[in-house]
Amino acid sequence: MERKLWGTAAGKQVELFTLDLGQGNSAAITNFGAALVSLYVRDRSGEVADVTLGYDSVQEYEQCTKYLGVVVGRYANRIAGAQFTLGGKEYQLAANDGRNHLHGGPGGFAKRVWDPEVISTETGEALKLSYFSPDGEEGYPGNLQVEVVYSPTGTGGLRIDYFASCDQDTVLNLTNHAYFNLAGHGSGPILDHELEICADFYTPADAESIPTGEILKVEGTPMDFGSKTAIGARIDADFCQLRYAGGYDHNWVLRRTGSGLELAARVEHAPTGRVMEVLTTKPGIQFYTGNYLDGVAGKGGAKYEWRGGFCLETQFFPDSPHQAHFPCPILRAGERYAHSTIYQFSTK
């Protein structure tokens, strides 16, 4: 694995690691925000392109407000009213998305320097990133030890394993916030990508992107990606959920048969032949179409315009601490949090 000094943040050394994924693919990861900086993937003709949005420097990640490629936590997505009750005690969080809490708050995991370690796995060298989140950080209870492991799948893909334990009951929902564009980052809108999501239901949200608590069928609505459909086919439909979010920014309820890794979504880009499959152990996936990208200055002078990237964030459902019928995001004291996601690549 290649590694180089990339800068400093909060008085700590920040490095950039290049992970060989095999089959000509590779990933660049930094220990600032545990961020996936670049993901180089071959197309059907063997040409390599970087298919994730990102930045060229640590300073840009420090200032980033779009969460490009970072690990977010303690709680990915939104918690209504920036508070939750656990064990009869109310915990107040930062209101950093209107009156609500988003992606762990302004001092969440995306803004922390993680401790790196190169480790060996059956599929090759991997990168383990560790972070200790003290009791009360961003308002959350308990001393939490977190590990994120980036490793090759052995077949050209990238695997992310999330582990954690805490000395108190807490809520935890970790994900990676990578934005993808299979044409190559900075290549314009992703509306021609064809998407399939393995879900029959989704959780509708209000105008603040907070789930209403309903679990509705996707059938007969623009939320139906049960079969391969262009992202742009219905994105501007006269449908309240799309009007609220300015496009897609919703949680789908994945069809699951067990607790292991299962296919959650598949994306195809016909012009290049690139195919990405997302597998996960999580119960939900947030599909987001870059509705708030607004000419962000990215890597290599690229400009990330509106709908210039899409996210497929594997997760517990948004605002689950307030929705008892959603899958439970509580990590009990002494228990082990362990979830995995794979981004697998191929061509057709």
CSV table of all heavy atoms in Angstrom, one decimal, residues 37 46 82 102 110 117 122 132-133 151 161 165 196 226 229 246-248 251 301 304 314-315 318 326 330 337 340:
chain,number,residue,atom,x,y,z
A,37,VAL,N,-11.2,9.5,-0.9
A,37,VAL,CA,-10.8,10.7,-1.7
A,37,VAL,C,-11.0,10.4,-3.2
A,37,VAL,O,-11.5,11.3,-3.9
A,37,VAL,CB,-9.4,11.1,-1.4
A,37,VAL,CG1,-8.9,12.3,-2.3
A,37,VAL,CG2,-9.2,11.5,0.1
A,46,GLY,N,-11.1,-0.5,-20.9
A,46,GLY,CA,-9.9,-0.5,-20.0
A,46,GLY,C,-9.4,0.8,-19.6
A,46,GLY,O,-8.4,0.9,-18.8
A,82,ALA,N,-33.0,17.9,16.9
A,82,ALA,CA,-31.7,17.8,17.5
A,82,ALA,C,-31.7,17.3,18.9
A,82,ALA,O,-30.9,17.8,19.8
A,82,ALA,CB,-31.0,19.2,17.4
A,102,LEU,N,-27.8,16.8,11.9
A,102,LEU,CA,-27.4,16.1,10.6
A,102,LEU,C,-26.0,15.6,10.7
A,102,LEU,O,-25.1,16.3,11.1
A,102,LEU,CB,-27.5,17.1,9.4
A,102,LEU,CG,-27.0,16.6,8.1
A,102,LEU,CD1,-28.0,15.5,7.6
A,102,LEU,CD2,-27.0,17.7,7.1
A,110,ALA,N,-16.7,13.2,10.6
A,110,ALA,CA,-16.2,13.7,9.3
A,110,ALA,C,-15.1,14.8,9.5
A,110,ALA,O,-14.4,15.1,8.5
A,110,ALA,CB,-17.3,14.3,8.5
A,117,GLU,N,-3.8,2.4,10.5
A,117,GLU,CA,-2.9,1.2,10.6
A,117,GLU,C,-3.1,0.4,9.4
A,117,GLU,O,-4.2,0.1,9.0
A,117,GLU,CB,-3.3,0.4,11.9
A,117,GLU,CG,-2.5,-0.8,12.0
A,117,GLU,CD,-2.9,-1.7,13.2
A,117,GLU,OE1,-3.8,-1.3,13.9
A,117,GLU,OE2,-2.3,-2.8,13.4
A,122,GLU,N,-7.1,-11.5,3.9
A,122,GLU,CA,-7.0,-12.6,2.9
A,122,GLU,C,-7.0,-12.0,1.5
A,122,GLU,O,-6.6,-12.7,0.6
A,122,GLU,CB,-8.2,-13.5,3.1
A,122,GLU,CG,-8.1,-14.3,4.4
A,122,GLU,CD,-9.3,-15.3,4.6
A,122,GLU,OE1,-10.2,-15.3,3.7
A,122,GLU,OE2,-9.3,-16.0,5.5
A,132,PHE,N,-11.5,7.5,18.9
A,132,PHE,CA,-12.1,7.4,20.2
A,132,PHE,C,-13.0,8.6,20.4
A,132,PHE,O,-12.5,9.8,20.3
A,132,PHE,CB,-11.1,7.3,21.3
A,132,PHE,CG,-11.7,7.4,22.7
A,132,PHE,CD1,-12.4,6.3,23.2
A,132,PHE,CD2,-11.6,8.6,23.4
A,132,PHE,CE1,-13.0,6.4,24.5
A,132,PHE,CE2,-12.2,8.6,24.7
A,132,PHE,CZ,-12.8,7.5,25.2
A,133,SER,N,-14.3,8.4,20.5
A,133,SER,CA,-15.2,9.5,20.7
A,133,SER,C,-15.6,9.6,22.2
A,133,SER,O,-16.3,8.7,22.7
A,133,SER,CB,-16.5,9.3,19.9
A,133,SER,OG,-17.4,10.3,20.1
A,151,SER,N,-10.9,-2.3,2.7
A,151,SER,CA,-10.2,-3.5,2.2
A,151,SER,C,-10.6,-3.8,0.8
A,151,SER,O,-11.8,-3.5,0.4
A,151,SER,CB,-10.3,-4.7,3.1
A,151,SER,OG,-11.7,-5.1,3.2
A,161,ASP,N,-15.8,-2.0,6.4
A,161,ASP,CA,-16.4,-2.6,7.6
A,161,ASP,C,-16.3,-1.6,8.8
A,161,ASP,O,-15.3,-0.9,9.0
A,161,ASP,CB,-15.6,-3.9,8.0
A,161,ASP,CG,-15.7,-5.0,7.0
A,161,ASP,OD1,-16.8,-5.6,6.9
A,161,ASP,OD2,-14.7,-5.3,6.4
A,165,SER,N,-17.8,-0.1,19.9
A,165,SER,CA,-18.3,-0.5,21.2
A,165,SER,C,-18.3,0.7,22.1
A,165,SER,O,-17.6,1.7,21.9
A,165,SER,CB,-17.4,-1.6,21.8
A,165,SER,OG,-16.1,-1.2,21.9
A,196,GLU,N,-31.1,0.5,-10.0
A,196,GLU,CA,-32.1,-0.4,-9.5
A,196,GLU,C,-31.8,-0.5,-8.0
A,196,GLU,O,-30.7,-0.6,-7.5
A,196,GLU,CB,-31.9,-1.8,-10.1
A,196,GLU,CG,-32.8,-2.9,-9.5
A,196,GLU,CD,-32.6,-4.2,-10.1
A,196,GLU,OE1,-31.8,-4.4,-11.1
A,196,GLU,OE2,-33.2,-5.2,-9.6
A,226,GLY,N,-37.5,-0.6,-8.7
A,226,GLY,CA,-37.5,-2.0,-8.6
A,226,GLY,C,-36.9,-2.7,-9.8
A,226,GLY,O,-36.5,-3.8,-9.8
A,229,THR,N,-33.9,1.8,-14.0
A,229,THR,CA,-34.5,3.0,-14.5
A,229,THR,C,-33.5,4.2,-14.5
A,229,THR,O,-32.7,4.3,-13.5
A,229,THR,CB,-35.7,3.4,-13.6
A,229,THR,OG1,-36.6,2.3,-13.5
A,229,THR,CG2,-36.4,4.7,-14.0
A,246,GLY,N,-36.1,18.6,-3.8
A,246,GLY,CA,-35.4,19.0,-5.1
A,246,GLY,C,-34.8,17.9,-5.9
A,246,GLY,O,-33.9,18.1,-6.6
A,247,GLY,N,-35.4,16.7,-5.7
A,247,GLY,CA,-34.9,15.5,-6.3
A,247,GLY,C,-35.0,14.4,-5.4
A,247,GLY,O,-35.8,14.4,-4.4
A,248,TYR,N,-34.2,13.4,-5.5
A,248,TYR,CA,-34.2,12.2,-4.6
A,248,TYR,C,-33.2,12.5,-3.4
A,248,TYR,O,-32.1,12.9,-3.6
A,248,TYR,CB,-33.7,11.0,-5.3
A,248,TYR,CG,-34.7,10.5,-6.4
A,248,TYR,CD1,-34.4,10.7,-7.7
A,248,TYR,CD2,-35.9,9.8,-6.1
A,248,TYR,CE1,-35.3,10.3,-8.7
A,248,TYR,CE2,-36.8,9.4,-7.0
A,248,TYR,CZ,-36.5,9.7,-8.4
A,248,TYR,OH,-37.4,9.3,-9.3
A,251,ASN,N,-34.8,7.6,2.1
A,251,ASN,CA,-34.4,6.3,2.6
A,251,ASN,C,-35.3,5.2,2.0
A,251,ASN,O,-36.6,5.3,2.1
A,251,ASN,CB,-34.5,6.2,4.1
A,251,ASN,CG,-34.3,4.9,4.7
A,251,ASN,OD1,-33.2,4.3,4.6
A,251,ASN,ND2,-35.4,4.3,5.2
A,301,GLY,N,-9.4,20.8,-10.4
A,301,GLY,CA,-10.1,21.9,-11.0
A,301,GLY,C,-11.5,21.6,-11.5
A,301,GLY,O,-12.1,22.5,-12.1
A,304,TYR,N,-18.2,20.7,-9.4
A,304,TYR,CA,-19.3,19.7,-9.1
A,304,TYR,C,-20.6,20.5,-9.1
A,304,TYR,O,-21.0,21.1,-8.1
A,304,TYR,CB,-19.1,19.0,-7.8
A,304,TYR,CG,-17.8,18.2,-7.8
A,304,TYR,CD1,-17.0,18.1,-6.6
A,304,TYR,CD2,-17.3,17.6,-8.9
A,304,TYR,CE1,-15.8,17.4,-6.5
A,304,TYR,CE2,-16.1,16.9,-8.8
A,304,TYR,CZ,-15.4,16.8,-7.7
A,304,TYR,OH,-14.2,16.1,-7.6
A,314,THR,N,-25.6,3.4,2.9
A,314,THR,CA,-26.2,2.3,3.7
A,314,THR,C,-26.4,2.7,5.1
A,314,THR,O,-25.4,3.3,5.7
A,314,THR,CB,-25.4,1.1,3.5
A,314,THR,OG1,-24.0,1.3,4.0
A,314,THR,CG2,-25.3,0.6,2.1
A,315,GLN,N,-27.5,2.4,5.7
A,315,GLN,CA,-27.8,3.1,7.0
A,315,GLN,C,-28.9,2.4,7.8
A,315,GLN,O,-29.7,1.6,7.2
A,315,GLN,CB,-28.2,4.5,6.7
A,315,GLN,CG,-29.5,4.6,5.9
A,315,GLN,CD,-29.9,6.0,5.6
A,315,GLN,OE1,-29.2,7.0,5.9
A,315,GLN,NE2,-31.1,6.2,5.0
A,318,PRO,N,-33.3,7.2,8.8
A,318,PRO,CA,-33.2,8.6,9.5
A,318,PRO,C,-34.2,8.7,10.6
A,318,PRO,O,-35.3,8.1,10.6
A,318,PRO,CB,-33.6,9.5,8.3
A,318,PRO,CG,-33.4,8.7,7.1
A,318,PRO,CD,-33.7,7.3,7.4
A,326,PHE,N,-39.1,1.7,13.5
A,326,PHE,CA,-38.0,1.5,12.6
A,326,PHE,C,-37.0,0.6,13.2
A,326,PHE,O,-37.0,0.4,14.4
A,326,PHE,CB,-37.4,2.9,12.4
A,326,PHE,CG,-38.1,3.9,11.5
A,326,PHE,CD1,-39.3,3.5,10.9
A,326,PHE,CD2,-37.6,5.1,11.2
A,326,PHE,CE1,-40.0,4.4,10.1
A,326,PHE,CE2,-38.3,6.0,10.3
A,326,PHE,CZ,-39.5,5.6,9.8
A,330,ILE,N,-30.0,1.6,18.6
A,330,ILE,CA,-29.3,1.7,19.9
A,330,ILE,C,-28.2,0.6,20.0
A,330,ILE,O,-28.4,-0.6,19.7
A,330,ILE,CB,-30.4,1.4,21.0
A,330,ILE,CG1,-31.4,2.5,21.0
A,330,ILE,CG2,-29.7,1.4,22.4
A,330,ILE,CD1,-32.6,2.3,21.9
A,337,TYR,N,-21.0,-3.2,17.7
A,337,TYR,CA,-21.6,-2.8,16.5
A,337,TYR,C,-20.7,-3.3,15.3
A,337,TYR,O,-19.5,-3.1,15.3
A,337,TYR,CB,-21.6,-1.2,16.5
A,337,TYR,CG,-22.1,-0.5,15.2
A,337,TYR,CD1,-23.4,0.0,15.2
A,337,TYR,CD2,-21.3,-0.4,14.1
A,337,TYR,CE1,-23.9,0.7,14.1
A,337,TYR,CE2,-21.8,0.3,13.0
A,337,TYR,CZ,-23.1,0.8,13.0
A,337,TYR,OH,-23.5,1.5,11.9
A,340,SER,N,-21.2,-3.9,7.5
A,340,SER,CA,-20.3,-4.0,6.3
A,340,SER,C,-21.1,-3.4,5.1
A,340,SER,O,-22.3,-3.6,4.9
A,340,SER,CB,-19.8,-5.4,6.0
A,340,SER,OG,-19.2,-5.9,7.1
